Amino acid sequence: MQMSLIERESSNKIITIWDDYHKPRPDNVAVSIDEKNYTTITNNLKRAPMFMFPVKKGTGHFKLISQKQENSILFTYMAEYQKKGVHAAPYVVFTFFEELLKRKHLALLRGDIIDGKLTKEEGEELLKNFLMFYLTSDLMERFVVPFNEIESKFDYLEYCRLLDIQPN
């Protein structure tokens, strides 16, 4: 998208253009985030740059680990991350576009699904859960912060109950 053209539009029109552009694309998920929520997310990512997200698949699920890097969040398969660390290949990459923050008080987030490793629906669920945990202060304090700071205080069973998944 050409920023020089889009920044002439109203914030509401930009949101519509962004959503309409990404909705039919099977390899992308996207959302527009107001400046206040963007600030909350980025501050929370600085404090807690990693987290675990289950992705429901059939009757079970698999786990992705998120890692903040610059303006992006990489989601890698947890088992591969445990073997290869930061060299594990991402399944999804969320990227923040901040160009509209000063003039429109709006950030754009795009999630790129790599090599069809997730369906669009799985990507949308991942995006929903990412925003829920990084924007809800109670969830941030109960789950994300302990996962990053004091892993023994991360209540995995409660986390599984909250997301309606079976612990494994």
Side-chain angles (χ1 to χ4, degrees):
M1 299 182 81
Q2 290 186 346
M3 282 300 159
S4 59
L5 294 176
I6 203 167
E7 58 186 11
R8 297 179 198 165
E9 303 291 346
S10 70
S11 294
N12 287 337
K13 181 69 173 172
I14 292 168
I15 292 167
T16 300
I17 292 168
W18 186 253
D19 291 346
D20 289 349
Y21 177 79
H22 290 96
K23 194 174 292 182
R25 300 175 65 89
D27 57 346
N28 291 127
V29 294
V31 68
S32 306
I33 302 169
D34 66 50
E35 187 174 20
K36 179 179 177 272
N37 284 333
Y38 172 78
T39 300
T40 298
I41 291 168
T42 55
N43 286 339
N44 285 338
L45 281 165
K46 286 176 191 166
R47 181 174 178 205
M50 297 180 76
F51 197 51
M52 174 182 59
F53 293 92
V55 176
K56 294 180 182 179
K57 192 84 152 171
T59 58
H61 70 279
F62 62 92
K63 296 177 207 145
L64 297 179
I65 190 92
S66 65
Q67 316 161 59
K68 180 194 180 303
Q69 294 184 4
E70 304 292 325
N71 276 4
S72 297
I73 301 100
L74 281 64
F75 294 84
T76 57
Y77 185 57
M78 184 172 243
E80 186 176 350
Y81 180 80
Q82 290 169 330
K83 291 178 187 170
K84 298 181 180 178
V86 295
H87 301 292
Y91 274 40
V92 180
V93 178
F94 288 174
T95 304
F96 288 104
F97 297 92
E98 304 166 328
E99 293 87 347
L100 299 171
L101 277 172
K102 286 184 181 170
R103 294 189 62 211
K104 302 293 181 177
H105 309 286
L106 188 65
L108 303 174
L109 185 151
R110 182 185 70 221
D112 296 308
I113 299 168
I114 310 299
D115 297 330
K117 291 179 178 170
L118 297 182
T119 66
K120 183 166 183 91
E121 294 75 24
E122 291 165 344
E124 289 170 343
E125 185 71 13
L126 179 63
L127 176 58
K128 182 189 84 154
N129 285 334
F130 169 77
L131 294 172
M132 179 176 73
F133 278 94
Y134 277 88
L135 282 172
T136 308
S137 59
D138 175 59
L139 296 177
M140 185 71 191
E141 295 303 319
R142 283 176 43 212
F143 299 106
V144 183
V145 171
F147 183 86
N148 281 265
E149 294 178 359
I150 309 165
E151 199 168 327
S152 64
K153 292 192 177 192
F154 175 66
D155 189 340
Y156 180 66
L157 295 177
E158 178 64 21
Y159 177 72
C160 289
R161 279 192 290 277
L162 176 73
L163 294 175
D164 192 29
I165 59 170
Q166 293 296 316
N168 63 357

